[in-house]
Amino acid sequence: MLCKPVTHVLFDMDGLLLNTEKYYMMGFQQVASRYGKEFTFDLKCKIMGKQSQELASSIINELNLPLTEEEFIFETRKIFDKLFLQSKVMPGVEKLLLHLHKHKVPMGLATSSSKETYDLKVTHHHELFQLFPYKTWGSSDPNVKRGKPYPDIFLIAATKFPDAPSPDKCLVFEDSLNGVKAAVAAGMQVVMIPDPRFDRSQAPEATLILSSMEDFRPEVFSLPPFDN
């Protein structure tokens, strides 16, 4: 697929900037195990990018768990309160963010997380996440009516840039299929960096699919190239 020039960049967070997707797997499995159920990778792919309430509802329905959405969120939150403090930055992320910041490329964060869970995840990474002057938390922002795969979060995130770029000037980085679909629905190009287990043939809409952020070359989208 032809890569077109962009001027602004939007980033998902979980599984892309931070390694938190593995903690979601662990937390959801802990709760599912109490009822003899298995939280599979396929189910994980289905629910990635959804807002907290709809994510909980999907898991409860898929696994037939005897819990309300509120109970599921409460039980998993107790687990995540500890796990998310262990979050680590994914390979290549710091280099790219510092590079874009240095060259004054406008950047925004567009995560389906709530502000509360975001704060936990970035506990040891405040300096890096300060590089994002514009942040959108999908599960906390009342303007984001629907979670991914709907385009709401990316359209809202783009409006936070002072110069209000058109969607075709925005490049999205995502790790989930729902996120890719959301970006495309918003009229934006999207670089997908999925879990190695993901079947790439399921994401033909992605502008580019990479194995790691370390493989990204900014000049492909007419952004300033790395110095070395």
Side-chain angles (χ1 to χ4, degrees), residues 17-56:
L17 303 181
L18 298 175
N19 67 340
T20 40
E21 283 297 342
K22 75 173 185 178
Y23 299 129
Y24 276 113
M25 280 286 291
M26 292 166 64
F28 293 151
Q29 183 56 55
Q30 278 190 46
V31 174
S33 295
R34 298 171 190 171
Y35 306 97
K37 306 289 185 175
E38 181 184 1
F39 182 78
T40 65
F41 179 72
D42 285 344
L43 177 52
K44 173 179 178 286
C45 290
K46 285 183 185 179
I47 58 96
M48 285 173 70
K50 293 190 175 186
Q51 294 175 329
S52 299
Q53 291 289 134
E54 54 186 351
L55 180 151

